[in-house]
Amino acid sequence: MPSIPGFLSFIACGLFGLIGAVGLSRLAPEWLPAPFVLLVVAITGLLWALRERYERFRVQNLLLDEIERMASRVPISTTTIEAPPQPQSQQRAEPRLTLPPQVQRPAETAAQEPAQDNETADDAALFAAVCDALNHNRVELHVQPVVRLPMRKLRYVELFARARDAEGRELSPGAHLPALAAAGLAAEFDALMLLRGVQLVRKLEARARHVGFFCNISTAALADAKAFEALHDFLRRERERAGTLILEFSHRGLLKLDGAGWHRLQKLGALGFALSVDSVDSLDLDIAGLARRGVRFVKLDARLLLDPVAVRRAPVALEDLLALCHRHEIEPVAAKVETEQDLLQLADLGFELGQGHLFGSPKLAKAA
């Protein structure tokens, strides 16, 4: 939808152009015939459309740049996680969470173990790298737009956490998140990132009231009663941001929850926060069940929607699945849309929200 000021400016420009063209055509009809009047009006409309498009992209880029600047100034929590023991001169004084026994292993012991334990040693090294990144504030915030289709106007922003090792190399989420989960510290990592995300939202909410923020949270926080209690207390104190902050969980992780975990998910929804589901790997979704638990967004990857095998195995047609989402007040999001061809193939399905590199790659919140 065009903005009201832009629409009024279009009407004003059109009226001035039309009055001027008609006046000149009356004064000098041989110089300015009637078809020329229509041409002036058409050019005015084209200029207005170009102005609206430029203004939309300008505002979107300003907002993303503002998010990047704000994110770089938001400090990570002072609570740190302890890596394997360091020399006394390098140890920090802050309170720390200690490594579990299966990860905190002396180097000399690891060297004496059989070769089949190499994989365990690699996991320990990876986890130590993540802990080191956390302790030295090398966890960066990335943002990616979620746009309203077909206008591609910014509607939401997703927040990502990315860690880097001491050499500056980015640690893949597919690698370091499983290491944290195996060590039982995925919930703690998410708590730090949620705190940082909420601090960012606090700074931006007055300037971007129409923009919502997706924040990823591990389902480990739902599976552990103690971790959930801390998460629930924190979000209860932030209830005033329930209209802005959207809590996103992996669908694969949700399917592994027991009854208590699903009940905890509902308690977060009861606080007023909208819930989102991503990492969907099947079109066989219990939309009604998700809606009952407070889910308001479902992100469906383009590659899944365009996979003929997945579509054939789905219990309902894609059009019916999206209609079912709307019936239960769930917004389906076409995620990981990489090319114009992907969007063209999905156009007939009627997605109103899209996310992916086509609409904007994740932007790094650079250090100040």
Side-chain angles (χ1 to χ4, degrees):
M1 284 291 293
S3 64
I4 297 300
F7 186 66
L8 293 177
S9 68
F10 165 68
I11 294 178
C13 290
L15 286 176
F16 281 122
L18 185 61
I19 291 172
V22 171
L24 289 175
S25 66
R26 294 287 181 87
L27 293 174
E30 67 279 3
W31 295 349
L32 200 63
F36 189 78
V37 175
L38 298 178
L39 180 61
V40 170
V41 175
I43 292 176
T44 303
L46 177 62
L47 292 175
W48 171 77
L50 292 174
R51 171 202 170 276
E52 279 292 295
R53 189 168 184 82
Y54 167 76
E55 185 68 16
R56 185 164 62 250
F57 279 108
R58 186 184 69 84
V59 172
Q60 177 172 325
N61 289 332
L62 284 175
L63 179 58
L64 289 177
D65 289 341
E66 182 70 13
I67 290 172
E68 182 176 324
R69 286 195 300 271
M70 290 295 184
S72 67
R73 300 171 190 166
V74 178
I76 197 167
S77 171
T78 55
T79 302
T80 55
I81 301 177
E82 187 181 51
Q86 301 175 347
Q88 185 67 27
S89 60
Q90 299 180 7
Q91 289 187 351
R92 298 160 59 105
E94 295 95 336
R96 299 170 180 268
L97 297 171
T98 58
L99 286 170
Q102 69 269 26
V103 177
Q104 187 173 4
R105 302 184 306 158
E108 62 273 13
T109 303
Q112 298 171 2
E113 291 183 356
Q116 59 263 33
D117 287 345
N118 286 344
E119 184 175 347
T120 304
D122 291 341
D123 289 342
L126 178 61
F127 181 71
V130 177
C131 292
D132 185 64
L134 288 169
N135 288 336
H136 293 86
N137 200 19
R138 290 197 304 271
V139 178
E140 303 163 335
L141 204 63
H142 288 64
V143 295
Q144 184 177 32
V146 180
V147 301
R148 179 71 66 184
L149 298 174
M151 302 296 289
R152 306 191 187 189
K153 185 176 182 180
L154 181 67
R155 180 60 185 90
Y156 300 97
V157 173
E158 180 162 357
L159 307 178
F160 299 94
R162 295 291 184 266
R164 292 186 181 274
D165 62 15
E167 285 72 36
R169 295 169 300 194
E170 183 175 311
L171 302 176
S172 168
H176 78 254
L177 291 182
L180 284 171
L185 290 176
E188 283 80 355
F189 179 84
D190 281 342
L192 294 176
M193 294 305 101
L194 179 61
L195 172 62
R196 198 175 188 190
V198 168
Q199 289 173 328
L200 175 63
V201 172
R202 287 174 184 167
K203 291 179 176 292
L204 289 175
E205 59 188 355
R207 312 179 192 186
R209 296 185 181 277
H210 66 290
V211 176
F213 294 81
F214 288 91
C215 188
N216 290 273
I217 298 178
S218 170
T219 51
L222 302 175
D224 182 84
K226 186 176 181 180
F228 175 78
E229 182 180 354
L231 173 66
H232 187 270
D233 288 345
F234 175 76
L235 290 174
R236 181 170 48 81
R237 295 192 296 270
E238 299 291 335
R239 290 183 72 169
E240 61 186 292
R241 287 165 191 88
T244 304
L245 193 63
I246 303 162
L247 311 179
E248 187 161 278
F249 297 89
S250 163
H251 185 246
R252 301 168 192 167
L254 291 178
L255 292 179
K256 297 177 183 178
L257 293 178
D258 56 12
W262 282 105
H263 177 67
R264 295 177 187 124
L265 180 71
Q266 286 182 278
K267 290 183 68 175
L268 295 181
L271 292 176
F273 291 91
L275 307 178
S276 175
V277 172
D278 71 347
S279 300
V280 176
D281 53 14
S282 171
L283 296 175
D284 187 7
L285 297 171
D286 181 12
I287 298 298
L290 292 175
R292 284 196 303 271
R293 294 175 171 94
V295 173
R296 292 295 172 259
F297 297 88
V298 172
K299 293 186 176 180
L300 303 169
D301 291 359
R303 65 174 181 269
L304 178 65
L305 297 169
L306 300 176
D307 182 359
V309 176
V311 172
R312 187 167 57 250
R313 292 177 178 175
V316 297
L318 287 179
E319 295 83 354
D320 296 333
L321 178 63
L322 298 188
L324 190 62
C325 287
H326 291 305
R327 190 181 312 154
H328 290 281
E329 299 182 342
I330 291 179
E331 283 270 17
V333 182
K336 298 184 179 179
V337 181
E338 308 298 329
T339 65
E340 293 285 354
Q341 182 63 28
D342 291 345
L343 184 61
L344 185 62
Q345 292 181 264
L346 296 172
D348 293 338
L349 296 176
F351 278 96
E352 297 181 3
L353 293 174
Q355 181 179 2
H357 288 276
L358 177 62
F359 312 116
S361 301
K363 296 185 65 175
L364 171 65
K366 300 175 183 178

